[in-house]
Amino acid sequence: MALLQDILYKVSLRSVQGNMQVNVNDLQIDSRKISEGSAFIAIKGVHVDGHQYIETAIEKGATAIICEQFPLNLKEGITYVQVENSGVAAGNMSHNFYGQPSEKLVLVGVTGTNGKTTIATLLYKLFTALGYKTGLLSTVQNQIGGEVLPSTHTTPDAISVNALLKRMVDAGCTHAFMEVSSHAIDQHRISGLEFAGGIFSNITHDHLDYHKTFAEYLRVKKSFFDGLPTNAFAVSNQDDKNGAVMLQNTNAQKYFYSLRTLADFKGKILENGLLGLVMIIDEQEVHFRLIGEFNAYNLLAVYGAAICLHEDKHEVLRCLSVLTGAEGRFDYIVSPKERIIGIVDYAHTPDALVNVLTTIQKLRKGHEQIITVVGCGGDRDTAKRPVMGQEACDYSDKVIFTSDNPRSEDPNEIIKQMEAGLNTAAKRKFISIVDRKEAIKTALSLAKPEDIILIAGKGHEKYQEINGVKHHFDDKEVLQEMFELFGK
């Protein structure tokens, strides 16, 4: 419980009607969750405008309404607060309501198109290994020390973020690492948070269904760094053509990592195979369990952030050398008899798919087939579908187009859009099987000893979303089942 007046600290107010000394029991942005003494924040979302539910919120017991426009009829005994931006207000109010938790630990945000989950997870694992009690907010899962909490969004809403951070503070966490999505930045879900540092991985074609243009997507990502304070650090990928642009206007202390040019945190790959990476980082040779050039970049980003947080270089590299990555990110199992390698990866963008497939190309000895099972999500960026279809064929020997999370779309239509991008050579390599389990089964039936099967798009997800219903589906589980079924 807190006074409304106190939790409005730093919120840009336009007008107030009613008592600012009213007690607030909780904050809600969903009118269905309102109870007696709630403050309801009416946010104009992508699909729903919270202003339409102000009356419902009051009927359920809300005593304060925070909105951008007052309703026509103001009810007696209710405090109405008009703000410039309800999303920004929700961030600041949540931060105040939960006791400004981000200021009581070291909070680091990770943004970029690919690599966010792996970087955040590695930082969580690294700082845990270094002896700290650490928190994690990621696509795969949230963690408070050793406690695992389910995750529903890459970055949760502002109220949930601050509630989680408060739980971390109360549990004794000294550090927290979180993925920061472009949606979360644009929707002000991180407003009010105090970041000790920010990390940029890379930026490629993604989420254009939401941002409409790449320029806008870039601007939103960049705004995260623009908002960092002077006492924070900003670590960026110098080898990404927009890596320097990201830090152009930041007030934070700037650092860069690179595999290709001189940088604050310089790395070089000596070996890249199925047993892991051997790299030189700041003149020290280290063997890592992670695989692929993209993970070399992830490791450099993590190393750079740890050094910015004043950790010992040698201890950081020692701990990093034994860590594994995030679930569903180049996650592989090998069949017991025929040594077929099955790789499950979250790659759901053209760039991520190419990264994984080029890594596989480099790892194979030459005689193995690469068989790729891939689909595209429904109700998402349609422009990438033909591109991903062609790229899957460019880098594979055989390709099976299948259903991903079709959501409200017909999976057959999604697959047709993937097929539309194929050139003549690609058309000879693919087949389409809508049922994802059958597609994985077919891939196994086509595989010969030591072949490599990539199942792309869903990674850590344990479900398939069809018409608003999430059905249990785990790519890795199905892959293991098929290994046993075929006795391979």
Side-chain angles (χ1 to χ4, degrees), residues 413-471:
E413 288 304 312
I414 296 174
I415 290 171
K416 281 180 187 175
Q417 289 174 35
M418 294 178 72
E419 294 171 2
L422 302 185
N423 60 28
T424 305
K427 286 176 181 175
R428 291 194 287 268
K429 289 185 178 182
F430 91 99
I431 56 172
S432 294
I433 302 173
V434 175
D435 185 295
R436 193 172 179 91
K437 186 169 185 176
E438 282 302 312
I440 296 171
K441 184 178 180 181
T442 302
L444 259 294
S445 71
L446 294 171
K448 296 170 184 166
E450 298 188 2
D451 279 351
I452 302 168
I453 296 170
L454 170 65
I455 305 170
K458 290 176 55 58
H460 63 282
E461 293 176 350
K462 302 290 191 291
Y463 62 84
Q464 193 170 28
E465 189 177 337
I466 304 168
N467 292 321
V469 180
K470 289 184 176 180
H471 305 268

Side-chain angles (χ1 to χ4, degrees), residues 1-6 8 16 18-24 79:
M1 184 184 290
L3 283 178
L4 177 61
Q5 179 179 284
D6 294 339
L8 287 170
V16 176
N19 181 16
M20 292 279 278
Q21 301 297 313
V22 68
N23 279 318
V24 171
T79 304

Side-chain angles (χ1 to χ4, degrees), residues 13 18 26 31 42 47 56 101 106 116 123 153 171 224 243 259 263 276 287 362-363 373 382 419 427 463 487:
L13 305 181
D26 64 356
S31 62
H47 303 295
T56 304
V106 175
K116 292 189 298 294
L123 280 165
H153 293 80
F224 169 62
L259 287 174
H287 184 282
K362 290 173 187 173
L363 295 177
V373 179
T382 57
E419 294 171 2
K427 286 176 181 175
Y463 62 84

Side-chain angles (χ1 to χ4, degrees), residues 1 8 15 25 81 110 136 145 152 172 178 215 253 265 280 323 350 354 364 367 409 442 444 469:
M1 184 184 290
L8 287 170
S15 179
N25 292 333
V81 181
V110 186
L136 172 69
T152 54
M178 70 180 288
Q253 299 164 59
F265 308 113
I280 292 177
L323 296 183
V354 170
R364 69 174 176 177
H367 64 279
E409 288 193 66
T442 302
L444 259 294
V469 180

Side-chain angles (χ1 to χ4, degrees), residues 373-394:
V373 179
V374 64
C376 290
D379 303 336
R380 298 293 187 271
D381 187 358
T382 57
K384 67 185 179 185
R385 294 173 185 174
V387 179
M388 287 183 69
Q390 180 61 46
E391 286 179 341
C393 293
D394 284 344

Side-chain angles (χ1 to χ4, degrees), residues 125-403:
K125 290 182 176 182
L126 170 63
F127 276 76
T128 301
L130 289 169
Y132 298 100
K133 189 160 187 182
T134 308
L136 172 69
L137 291 91
S138 84
T139 307
V140 176
Q141 62 193 27
N142 300 317
Q143 288 193 237
I144 301 172
E147 183 187 359
V148 178
L149 306 169
S151 177
T152 54
H153 293 80
T154 303
T155 314
D157 65 75
I159 298 169
S160 302
V161 166
N162 282 279
L164 268 170
L165 289 173
K166 183 182 187 302
R167 286 182 63 179
M168 290 175 187
V169 170
D170 291 346
C173 292
T174 56
H175 295 72
F177 303 99
M178 70 180 288
E179 293 184 52
V180 178
S181 70
S182 59
H183 290 66
I185 301 167
D186 192 54
Q187 295 167 16
H188 311 289
R189 291 186 233 152
I190 59 168
S191 289
L193 297 180
E194 186 78 21
F195 285 93
I199 301 168
F200 171 70
S201 59
N202 50 64
I203 189 162
T204 60
H205 184 109
D206 197 18
H207 299 309
L208 299 194
D209 55 319
Y210 178 86
H211 296 291
K212 305 306 177 191
T213 66
F214 184 77
E216 175 61 10
Y217 180 42
L218 182 70
R219 184 199 66 77
V220 169
K221 289 281 190 192
K222 180 179 174 295
S223 70
F224 169 62
F225 296 96
D226 293 349
L228 291 177
T230 53
N231 61 345
F233 66 83
V235 174
S236 183
N237 180 354
Q238 190 156 290
D239 294 344
D240 187 283
K241 63 183 179 182
N242 289 298
V245 173
M246 281 291 147
L247 307 193
Q248 215 167 41
N249 303 110
T250 188
N251 292 314
Q253 299 164 59
K254 302 178 188 181
Y255 300 92
F256 291 90
Y257 60 94
S258 172
L259 287 174
R260 311 208 191 290
T261 60
L262 286 174
D264 301 287
F265 308 113
K266 178 75 172 74
K268 182 181 179 183
I269 297 174
L270 299 180
E271 292 177 32
N272 181 12
L274 276 173
L275 295 177
L277 284 159
V278 179
M279 293 176 66
I280 292 177
I281 294 182
D282 282 350
E283 300 180 351
Q284 185 165 332
E285 186 175 316
V286 192
H287 184 282
F288 298 102
R289 294 172 68 176
L290 299 179
I291 294 166
E293 184 180 84
F294 60 95
N295 272 324
Y297 280 106
N298 294 335
L299 287 161
L300 278 174
V302 171
Y303 172 76
I307 299 306
C308 289
L309 291 171
H310 313 295
E311 297 302 320
D312 178 74
K313 163 186 170 177
H314 301 289
E315 192 63 11
V316 167
L317 291 174
R318 183 190 69 78
C319 292
L320 275 179
S321 69
V322 297
L323 296 183
T324 54
E327 184 186 7
R329 270 62 176 177
F330 214 91
D331 206 349
Y332 68 95
I333 51 177
V334 182
S335 71
K337 291 182 183 175
E338 298 187 0
R339 310 302 293 167
I340 295 165
I341 300 169
I343 300 167
V344 172
D345 194 274
Y346 189 54
H348 61 285
T349 65
D351 183 69
L353 186 62
V354 170
N355 277 344
V356 173
L357 285 167
T358 52
T359 296
I360 294 170
Q361 294 268 16
K362 290 173 187 173
L363 295 177
R364 69 174 176 177
K365 296 164 190 170
H367 64 279
E368 312 94 328
Q369 289 187 107
I370 298 174
I371 303 170
T372 298
V373 179
V374 64
C376 290
D379 303 336
R380 298 293 187 271
D381 187 358
T382 57
K384 67 185 179 185
R385 294 173 185 174
V387 179
M388 287 183 69
Q390 180 61 46
E391 286 179 341
C393 293
D394 284 344
Y395 294 92
S396 311
D397 299 291
K398 292 186 175 75
V399 177
I400 303 170
F401 295 157
T402 191
S403 180

